[in-house]
């Protein structure tokens, strides 16, 4: 789901004496980083207690030229639905755990269309519930490898290579002070195109005891694509399960068709 963290960093520096903060920069094992990462978000128990999530806010598109209200719904284990309202029309991208589909009124009539196998695979892998690909990685069949540290927006971050069960790779950059995700990066195919996607996460706030990002920016090959600003996030809401499923095409019972 959604995940560089100026508010949290400032808070951590205020509370943390210099010698303790410096100690956090010592070499940690991969298992230690993963454990601190999970604890930073609120802990496994609180994360596992979340079954659904609803986020509302605004998406900035085309370099800020278009502002679109958004609604993002997620349901465990990997159902997701994103709806954007652009110029009075609704763009929808959804995955019900099996079928990925899209309704895009800007490239056609806007009727729901099933996405191809490659896009479906990407949707499934990108629908990690709540806190991303590191949490509960073993049960997902993923493997982790610590690649060292890199600078992310002026802060040191652990670079972790996540090799998914499918063989696809995504890199997760865990802030060395807060242990929250600063960004992720990786290649993916979408609508037949190879994309170099980098996603940055910021403005973390606590929701139901879990740290969640209220600012998310996606870039392709270094160029900004979309910036999401979340205004409200709710946990354990009760969405209609059918909203994740691709609507069936209405039957044409017109007299003209009946006469044929």
């Amino acid at each position: 789901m959604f995940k560089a963290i100026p508010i949290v960093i400032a808070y951590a520096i205020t509370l943390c004496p210099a010698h303790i903060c410096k100690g956090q920069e010592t070499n940690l094992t991969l298992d230690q980083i993963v454990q601190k990462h999970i604890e930073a978000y609120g802990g496994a128990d609180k994360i596992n207690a979340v079954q659904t999530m609803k986020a509302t806010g605004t998406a900035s598109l085309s370099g800020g030229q278009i502002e679109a209200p958004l609604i993002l719904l997620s349901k465990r284990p990997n159902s997701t639905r994103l709806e954007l309202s652009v110029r009075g029309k609704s763009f929808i991208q959804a995955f019900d755990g099996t079928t990925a589909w899209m309704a895009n009124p800007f490239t056609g009539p806007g009727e729901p269309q099933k996405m191809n196998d490659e896009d479906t695979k990407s949707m499934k892998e990108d629908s990690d519930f709540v806190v991303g690909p590191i949490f509960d990685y073993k049960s997902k069949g993923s493997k982790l490898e610590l690649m060292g540290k890199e600078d992310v927006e002026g802060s040191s971050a652990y670079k972790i290579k996540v090799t998914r069960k499918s063989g696809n790779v995504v890199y997760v950059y865990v802030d060395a002070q807060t242990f929250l995700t600063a960004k992720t990066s990786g290649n993916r195919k979408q609508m037949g195109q190879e994309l170099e996607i980098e996603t940055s996460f910021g403005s973390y706030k606590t929701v139901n005891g879990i740290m969640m990002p209220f600012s998310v920016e996606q870039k392709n090959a270094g160029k900004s694509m979309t910036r999401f600003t979340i205004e409200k996030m709710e946990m354990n809401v009760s969405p209609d399960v059918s909203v994740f499923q691709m609507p069936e095409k209405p039957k044409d019972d017109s007299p003209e068709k009946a006469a044929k």
Side-chain angles (χ1 to χ4, degrees):
M1 232 325 278
F2 288 147
K3 289 187 248 328
I5 314 167
I7 296 176
V8 175
I9 290 177
Y11 183 69
I13 291 174
T14 301
L15 296 183
C16 183
H19 68 283
I20 296 177
C21 287
K22 185 176 180 180
Q24 290 180 350
E25 288 290 340
T26 58
N27 292 329
L28 297 175
T29 66
L30 176 60
D31 287 344
Q32 288 174 323
I33 295 169
V34 170
Q35 183 60 35
K36 287 179 176 291
H37 178 68
I38 294 171
E39 291 173 353
Y41 276 99
D45 289 344
K46 289 182 180 178
I47 294 172
N48 285 326
V50 179
Q51 298 300 311
T52 62
M53 186 188 72
K54 178 181 180 180
T56 55
T58 304
S60 179
L61 313 170
S62 302
Q65 297 181 39
I66 299 175
E67 297 289 324
L70 72 86
I71 299 175
L72 176 65
L73 296 172
S74 297
K75 183 179 184 299
R76 210 180 273 278
N78 55 5
S79 295
T80 183
R81 173 189 169 107
L82 172 66
E83 181 171 356
L84 303 177
S85 298
V86 183
R87 296 169 181 167
K89 298 180 180 180
S90 292
F91 168 89
I92 300 172
Q93 190 176 53
F95 179 64
D96 64 3
T98 302
T99 301
W101 58 277
M102 177 189 299
N104 188 351
F106 305 101
T107 59
E111 294 181 358
Q113 301 289 331
K114 186 176 180 179
M115 299 171 72
N116 61 38
D117 291 343
E118 194 70 41
D119 289 344
T120 298
K121 179 180 176 182
S122 295
M123 284 282 289
K124 183 175 183 178
E125 292 186 337
D126 290 345
S127 61
D128 286 302
F129 190 74
V130 181
V131 295
I134 291 180
F135 180 72
D136 205 21
Y137 71 93
K138 291 181 181 179
S139 69
K140 300 172 186 175
S142 299
K143 295 181 180 180
L144 304 186
E145 182 180 355
L146 180 59
M147 308 298 290
K149 285 184 178 179
E150 287 192 12
D151 179 86
V152 177
E153 299 294 332
S155 297
S156 179
Y158 294 101
K159 181 180 180 180
I160 298 176
K161 178 181 179 182
V162 182
T163 304
R164 301 183 190 269
K165 187 176 181 179
S166 65
N168 286 351
V169 171
V170 62
Y171 293 94
V172 179
Y173 298 78
V174 177
D175 188 280
Q177 294 293 336
T178 67
F179 290 94
L180 298 169
T181 301
K183 75 173 184 178
T184 62
S185 65
N187 294 337
R188 60 173 290 182
K189 281 188 177 181
Q190 184 171 327
M191 300 179 70
Q193 293 185 327
E194 187 77 26
L195 305 178
E196 300 175 22
I197 299 296
E198 180 179 293
T199 306
S200 300
F201 305 92
S203 299
Y204 279 87
K205 299 178 183 179
T206 303
V207 182
N208 284 34
I210 301 174
M211 294 297 287
M212 297 297 294
F214 277 61
S215 176
V216 181
E217 182 178 16
Q218 290 185 329
K219 296 180 179 179
N220 176 33
K223 185 178 180 180
S224 181
M225 297 170 56
T226 309
R227 182 187 295 273
F228 299 99
T229 301
I230 304 303
E231 298 165 2
K232 184 179 181 181
M233 195 174 293
E234 303 169 85
M235 303 290 191
N236 292 326
V237 295
S238 300
D240 185 346
V241 177
S242 65
V243 301
F244 301 106
Q245 300 167 351
M246 180 174 168
E248 295 183 3
K249 290 185 178 180
K251 295 182 180 180
D252 188 353
D253 296 324
S254 64
E256 292 81 2
K257 184 171 182 178
K260 291 183 180 180

